[in-house]
Amino acid sequence: MDAEAWDEYYTSTDLVFGAPPSDTVVELVFGLERRVPLGPFAVGEPRPELPRVLDLGCGEGRNALWLATHGWQVDAVDFSQTGIDKGRTVASRLSRSVRSRIDWHHAEVTELATAGLNGPYELVLMAFLHLVPEDRKALLLKAVELLSPEGTLIVLGNDTLNITEGYGGETNPLLTFTPNDIVTELGPAGEEIRIRIADRIQRPTEERDAIDALVVATKPAPAVPEPDPLALEIPQPPALDSL
């Protein structure tokens, strides 16, 4: 679906995916140790007081709103203006402090630089964002670049197996993926990313369980160089017989 089709889809009902956030996202984010990004930041850009998250394909903002409520500074991105507007409407009912933690961006997730989204982020979230493989791979590698040291990447979506054995969700096989697909596409990032979780998970629905693909990866902190043992030697006083 293109942006116009999603606009029409989001207009069809109040909140297409409901107001609560993804249970899987909540469980994973609660397990993170939140750290303010270390940088580098652009010249003149203030150091953030809260950990930052980039919500790619935010839709109507259900995850973005939950993250802001729980102390994250959120950049929420989607190509559907209707989805963004509905997210803003829900946010307007929340406290001013929560509203101020969300920056809404009407933009293509494949064109983050032109939207002024340069990071670093402690968390990058790709939840139920289904792209063609070449765009997905490029976005995954861009997400790695945008992560701060020790930052986390969460990729969650309809597994390819869900089409035949699960329920609901994306029906185009080209747009679904497996955990192994994501791991393979992250391969060119090399040592810049480490896979923590790569698994299929069952998600209860009103009918039967859906099958989702989940990958969680972290960006390692820069290696600390080993101290020079010679530099640590304590000078010894001269021997008495040399005085």
Side-chain angles (χ1 to χ4, degrees):
M1 296 172 68
D2 57 19
E4 185 176 345
W6 274 105
D7 284 341
E8 184 177 344
Y9 186 46
Y10 284 135
T11 305
S12 65
T13 187
D14 185 15
L15 290 173
V16 173
F17 300 108
S22 160
D23 289 342
T24 303
V25 171
V26 170
E27 180 181 352
L28 292 168
V29 172
F30 266 138
L32 296 178
E33 181 179 353
R34 300 184 307 142
R35 297 183 179 90
V36 174
L38 301 177
F41 302 101
V43 175
E45 182 180 354
R47 180 184 176 90
E49 297 181 359
L50 296 172
R52 299 176 66 193
V53 53
L54 178 61
D55 184 4
L56 295 169
C58 67
E60 298 164 307
R62 62 184 185 130
N63 293 316
L65 292 161
W66 181 86
L67 287 159
T69 301
H70 288 81
W72 293 77
Q73 187 70 42
V74 185
D75 279 323
V77 187
D78 204 280
F79 69 175
S80 169
Q81 184 64 62
T82 302
I84 292 290
D85 291 343
K86 291 175 77 173
R88 282 198 178 104
T89 298
V90 176
S92 69
R93 304 166 189 159
L94 304 177
S95 68
R96 180 180 177 184
S97 62
V98 172
R99 296 197 307 271
S100 68
R101 295 176 195 149
I102 308 178
D103 291 316
W104 302 95
H105 302 269
H106 177 220
E108 293 276 356
V109 295
T110 54
E111 299 175 2
L112 296 178
T114 59
L117 298 167
N118 301 310
Y121 295 97
E122 185 191 15
L123 172 62
V124 176
L125 176 63
M126 294 173 57
F128 300 98
L129 173 60
H130 295 99
L131 305 171
V132 294
E134 56 269 28
D135 287 345
R136 184 177 65 228
K137 179 179 180 179
L139 185 58
L140 286 167
L141 296 177
K142 181 62 177 178
V144 173
E145 291 180 17
L146 294 175
L147 281 176
S148 64
E150 301 185 356
T152 299
L153 169 65
I154 297 176
V155 183
L156 175 67
N158 301 137
D159 191 279
T160 304
L161 198 61
N162 187 64
I163 296 175
T164 55
E165 300 185 25
Y167 179 78
E170 180 59 60
T171 58
N172 183 347
L174 186 65
L175 302 181
T176 60
F177 52 86
T178 68
N180 188 60
D181 289 334
I182 302 301
V183 172
T184 300
E185 290 164 4
L186 285 170
E191 295 299 316
E192 288 295 302
I193 200 74
R194 294 177 182 170
I195 306 299
R196 287 176 42 209
I197 300 171
D199 204 0
R200 286 186 168 109
I201 59 174
Q202 305 288 323
R203 174 169 48 86
T205 74
E206 293 182 358
E207 298 294 330
R208 60 182 185 275
D209 285 356
I211 304 172
D212 292 334
L214 171 66
V215 172
V216 180
T218 56
K219 189 170 191 175
V224 178
E226 293 290 335
D228 183 352
L230 296 178
L232 298 178
E233 287 187 358
I234 301 174
Q236 300 297 318
L240 293 177
D241 58 4
S242 65
L243 297 176

